[in-house]
Amino acid sequence: MAKNTLSFVCQNCGAAYNRWQGKCDACGEWNTLAEEDSTGNVPVSIRSKRKGRTFALESLSGKSHDAPRLSSGMTELDRVTGGGFVRGSVLLVGGDPGIGKSTLLTQATSMMARAGHRAVYISGEEAVAQVRLRAERLGLANAPVQLASETSVEDIVSTLSEGTVPRLIVIDSIQTMWTDTVESAPGTVTQVRASAQALIRFAKKTGAAIILVGHVTKDGQIAGPRVVEHMVDAVLSFEGEGSQQFRILRAVKNRFGPTDEIGVFEMTGLGLREVSNPSELFLSERDLGSPGTAVFAGIEGTRPVLVELQALVAPTSLGTPRRAAVGWDPSRLSMVLAVLEAHCGVKLSGHDVYLNVAGGLRIQEPAADLAAAAALVSSLVNAPLPTDAVYFGEISLSGAVRPVAQTSARLKEAAKLGFGRAVLPESARGDAGDAGLTLNSVGGLTTLVAEIAARGTPRGNHQAQRDAEPVEKNATPARFRREKG
């Protein structure tokens, strides 16, 4: 019998070392190395004598069939997965604790079970009674979902192999599963990798779709070895803020569909409700007529989404002004501020700058540059932007406004929600189509800044402004003041 060797494995990234050390050289985390047995129960001398079996090879020119998909019954979930669950696929769903992962999957399995498919929900963290309590709260207690509370992978595979093969299997969560093939505690890197491999092998053999729930670390990454994300067919991220009611489902990886689609849900007392028009949700609490707010017409995958950008530019006495962005890339904010100061003469070195994406949505595309710049200048000069206008466009380092993709889709969504005008790049007018909006094209950022500053109101005594005449109320700086008549 071979002697068991011990190794120290990082629980964050899976790197192995032959001795313990405080810091992992691979990921840089401290105190993440745990002692594990690096060999299986079968000695290497026995495993090396096993002869391989032959298998048939196929050519590239062979006839291939599209993998049949099975709808989950939830339109937003099907949108993210690419049209439904593919037979034999394995999905990994991650998200913060309490974000609603179990609620989402309970609703999905219940809908599939009501459609006549065999759906199994296996929880390694909750008892069957606890899962039933959640189902009763969601009004799904009568759904024919098969429940179990089990953590042994061998027992799960043996049970699911009997009878009709389930169409959907939910494992909640993969960190609680363990297998006899390795001698490590549940939740360790070795156990998570081995358990996931056994479940993936079962899915590919039987054609059942399996959803694995994964815990996340404090950095938002799925806990366990990164190799698990490579092994599965799709990695979904369930995002949201605790103070917000909506949740967003994103595809980080998807072998059977796009990775830029999002599914929007609203958390209610009866579970997650699908939001077919996210723009109405993000603009529902919009504060009309306030300086520093601009509506951005964005694209998430193939879906246009309108969201409000809020900016606050306030004077500061600190030597280093503060720059903070929520829902947007802070580096992108620094670049826009630098362009405004270098090419437009907007002095922001003595002001704190805060930018927030209303509703908690996270914007990733550079098309939000123009809306962010408009909101920043509006807050600085105290000039409310038109309430019926949307903004989109990418700002280059030279101050030019560059075109973005899917201009017509953005304008159609804005027109559908009642907006009357759009500020867009000058070179994008040819792709605008006939959306019925008044188009204000800008070739450079300087033009937009001048138009906003011309409507500015000096900050001062608000009571005096309310008592003054309309002409004085809308007074502008001398260099932007319009002549009467």
Side-chain angles (χ1 to χ4, degrees):
M1 297 293 291
K3 182 179 180 181
N4 290 344
T5 14
L6 298 177
S7 62
F8 296 88
V9 181
C10 176
Q11 303 303 305
N12 185 53
C13 65
Y17 302 90
N18 56 4
R19 61 183 180 85
W20 185 90
Q21 57 190 40
K23 180 181 179 181
C24 175
D25 297 333
C27 63
E29 294 291 331
W30 288 87
N31 300 324
T32 57
L33 300 187
E35 182 178 334
E36 295 184 11
D37 190 357
S38 60
T39 61
N41 295 333
V42 183
V44 179
S45 58
I46 298 178
R47 293 200 302 264
S48 60
K49 294 181 180 180
R50 175 185 174 275
K51 293 183 178 181
R53 61 178 181 84
T54 59
F55 54 89
L57 299 175
E58 299 183 5
S59 63
L60 287 175
S61 59
K63 185 178 180 181
S64 59
H65 301 277
D66 294 335
R69 294 180 180 270
L70 180 64
S71 175
S72 64
M74 305 179 71
T75 306
E76 296 297 307
L77 180 58
D78 291 342
R79 177 191 296 271
V80 178
T81 57
F85 301 123
V86 178
R87 291 179 55 89
S89 62
V90 180
L91 294 80
L92 179 62
V93 179
D96 295 333
I99 203 67
K101 300 185 298 296
S102 300
T103 301
L104 173 66
L105 298 179
T106 301
Q107 293 182 226
T109 52
S110 300
M111 291 184 178
M112 291 192 63
R114 286 176 175 177
H117 305 286
R118 184 187 178 192
V120 180
Y121 191 100
I122 298 178
S123 176
E125 302 175 347
E126 300 175 291
V128 173
Q130 293 174 314
V131 179
R132 287 174 177 167
L133 285 176
R134 181 169 63 248
E136 291 177 1
R137 176 175 57 86
L138 301 177
L140 303 173
N142 58 347
V145 178
Q146 297 178 327
L147 302 178
S149 179
E150 185 59 52
T151 58
S152 174
V153 174
E154 283 77 15
D155 295 344
I156 293 174
V157 171
S158 177
T159 302
L160 298 179
S161 300
E162 298 180 354
T164 307
V165 177
R167 294 302 304 270
L168 180 64
I169 304 170
V170 174
I171 304 295
D172 188 6
S173 65
I174 188 59
Q175 276 80 13
T176 60
M177 298 294 119
W178 62 276
T179 174
D180 294 333
T181 57
V182 293
E183 296 181 358
S184 299
T188 58
V189 170
T190 306
Q191 279 286 2
V192 171
R193 183 172 54 243
S195 300
Q197 185 177 10
L199 292 172
I200 292 173
R201 187 166 56 248
F202 173 77
K204 303 302 180 185
K205 181 180 178 182
T206 61
I210 298 181
I211 300 180
L212 306 178
V213 179
H215 296 167
V216 295
T217 62
K218 60 182 180 180
D219 298 328
Q221 302 293 329
I222 297 179
R226 200 64 184 267
V227 68
V228 175
E229 298 185 29
H230 295 279
M231 294 164 58
V232 298
D233 298 307
V235 180
L236 308 182
S237 176
F238 205 39
E239 305 170 357
E241 298 291 337
S243 58
Q244 303 292 339
Q245 293 184 346
F246 76 92
R247 304 288 187 265
I248 294 180
L249 184 65
R250 296 179 183 269
V252 181
K253 167 192 174 182
N254 193 355
R255 290 175 178 167
F256 308 110
T259 58
D260 52 1
E261 293 284 359
I262 65 169
V264 184
F265 301 87
E266 183 182 6
M267 180 62 75
T268 65
L270 297 178
L272 293 169
R273 182 183 67 87
E274 299 181 69
V275 179
S276 58
N277 192 349
S279 300
E280 293 182 350
L281 175 65
F282 296 138
L283 299 177
S284 59
E285 301 296 332
R286 184 183 171 204
D287 189 7
L288 300 177
S290 298
T293 60
V295 177
F296 164 59
I299 292 289
E300 292 287 347
T302 59
R303 164 188 285 177
V305 177
L306 269 61
V307 65
E308 182 184 31
L309 296 186
Q310 302 172 346
L312 176 62
V313 180
T316 180
S317 58
L318 301 177
T320 304
R322 184 171 184 184
R323 307 286 188 254
V326 179
W328 204 41
D329 187 6
S331 302
R332 202 79 192 175
L333 173 62
S334 301
M335 187 204 74
V336 172
L337 295 177
V339 173
L340 287 172
E341 190 153 352
H343 297 285
C344 304
V346 180
K347 302 300 181 182
L348 296 169
S349 56
H351 296 76
D352 289 335
V353 176
Y354 303 90
L355 185 70
N356 176 51
V357 180
L361 182 67
R362 181 164 50 88
I363 298 177
Q364 298 176 340
E365 59 172 337
D369 292 349
L370 194 63
L376 291 169
V377 178
S378 171
S379 177
L380 176 65
V381 302
N382 194 29
L385 298 176
T387 58
D388 63 340
V390 296
Y391 299 79
F392 61 91
E394 180 183 356
I395 298 176
S396 65
L397 293 179
S398 63
V401 181
R402 298 169 54 87
V404 294
Q406 305 188 43
T407 299
S408 60
R410 303 172 194 263
L411 297 178
K412 289 180 181 178
E413 179 70 12
K416 185 174 67 174
L417 294 179
F419 288 87
R421 68 181 74 178
V423 180
L424 71 165
E426 186 175 2
S427 56
R429 290 184 66 96
D431 302 331
D434 186 15
L437 275 74
T438 302
L439 302 182
N440 182 13
S441 58
V442 292
L445 191 57
T446 307
T447 306
L448 179 63
V449 173
E451 292 178 359
I452 298 175
R455 301 189 299 266
T457 303
R459 299 181 185 274
N461 191 328
H462 295 282
Q463 184 64 34
Q465 292 179 6
R466 285 193 293 266
D467 297 338
E469 297 181 1
V471 176
E472 296 297 329
K473 181 179 180 180
N474 295 325
T476 57
R479 56 178 178 155
F480 295 115
R481 186 172 296 152
R482 297 175 178 175
E483 298 296 337
K484 293 184 179 180

